[in-house]
Amino acid sequence: PYVWAGESAAGLDCSGLTMVSYAAAGVELTHSSRVQYGEGSLVPLDAAQPGDLVTWPGHVGIYAGDGKVIDAGDESTGVVYREIWGSPSFVRVG
């Protein structure tokens, strides 16, 4: 489920999801969507790869490929796999 400031299986927020996921792959991220944006290198959409961060102001998810993102949206959605919306930035970390 979505939990504000969550960073465990009991509940995750957006940056908690990315932090925990990257930690499982041996990469440390800060528990902040704003800070995570600066913890890697920006890549253009046509160079984005599954596993890159997808960032919006105040929100972050994990690029799943094919225009999809995995993110912890809010209390009503929890962690979801869905279409990317708006004009996010893509960040490669690690």
Side-chain angles (χ1 to χ4, degrees), residues 4 6 19 21-22 42 45-46 48 50 58 60 76 79 87-88 93:
W4 176 257
M19 182 184 77
S21 299
Y22 270 72
L42 287 173
L45 172 59
D46 63 356
V60 64
S76 68
V79 176
S87 300
V93 179

Side-chain angles (χ1 to χ4, degrees), residues 12-84:
L12 299 160
D13 67 1
C14 66
S15 59
L17 171 67
T18 53
M19 182 184 77
V20 168
S21 299
Y22 270 72
V27 178
E28 287 188 39
L29 289 176
T30 304
H31 192 170
S32 163
S33 59
R34 181 182 54 80
V35 176
Q36 287 180 9
Y37 173 85
E39 291 184 313
S41 302
L42 287 173
V43 294
L45 172 59
D46 63 356
Q49 298 175 358
D52 288 342
L53 296 176
V54 184
T55 67
W56 297 262
H59 190 65
V60 64
I62 301 169
Y63 186 52
D66 297 323
K68 304 278 189 175
V69 64
I70 300 167
D71 69 315
D74 58 29
E75 291 86 358
S76 68
T77 66
V79 176
V80 292
Y81 171 76
R82 59 182 164 174
E83 294 285 332
I84 290 174

